Amino acid sequence: MPRLEPGMARIRVKDLRLRTYIGIKEEEINNKQDVLINLTILYPAVDAVQGNDIDHALNYRTITKAIIQHVEGNRFALLERLTQEILDLVMAHQAVRYAEVEVDKPHALRFAESVSITLAGHR
């Protein structure tokens, strides 16, 4: 992850728990499962800090709502694909300089708490 430079802000959305169709086995295709999403987003926040105005900030609520709608409204065979599509939604915001998305699939393996995939993008 890039170092946080002066004038930049780091937004973290932690443990966004959603339900979606994820997997390749018949049981996974037919039943929604929990996924846990963590986001890290870096963007220039000088104007937001100085103006104290939402119009100058990256609205994490808007981003999160888009993620919720996309994840809950679609089906995914692979965790990699789901993670990339979430990253694409975040990077669609021109103010984003760097984003990291981690998606956990709880209880995907018998003896593990979860399996996760992390992808990053930057401009």
Side-chain angles (χ1 to χ4, degrees):
M1 178 179 326
R3 192 176 83 196
L4 192 62
E5 300 288 338
M8 296 294 285
R10 179 181 294 133
I11 296 172
R12 296 208 51 217
V13 176
K14 300 177 186 180
D15 299 333
L16 178 62
R17 186 177 300 271
L18 302 176
R19 293 187 60 75
T20 193
Y21 295 98
I22 177 78
I24 57 172
K25 296 187 300 186
E26 184 176 346
E27 177 183 311
E28 296 172 319
I29 292 169
N30 293 324
N31 298 297
K32 282 190 172 186
Q33 300 174 67
D34 287 343
V35 291
L36 208 57
I37 300 167
N38 288 285
L39 310 171
T40 301
I41 303 168
L42 272 62
Y43 83 100
V46 173
D47 291 342
V49 169
Q50 291 176 350
N52 196 30
D53 184 344
I54 188 64
D55 291 334
H56 297 138
L58 184 66
N59 192 329
Y60 55 83
R61 177 171 285 191
T62 301
I63 293 171
T64 303
K65 282 183 175 183
I67 292 169
I68 292 167
Q69 181 178 2
H70 186 77
V71 171
E72 292 187 339
N74 288 286
R75 294 175 174 265
F76 308 92
L78 299 177
L79 203 51
E80 290 87 345
R81 178 59 181 225
L82 170 58
T83 306
Q84 183 63 55
E85 289 185 19
I86 295 169
L87 180 60
D88 291 345
L89 284 171
V90 174
M91 293 302 296
H93 296 267
Q94 290 302 309
V96 174
R97 296 295 176 258
Y98 173 86
E100 192 171 290
V101 176
E102 178 184 30
V103 179
D104 280 87
K105 184 176 174 184
H107 312 294
L109 295 174
R110 184 174 174 201
F111 296 112
E113 183 66 29
S114 71
V115 172
S116 72
I117 298 289
T118 303
L119 295 173
H122 65 88
R123 63 168 62 84

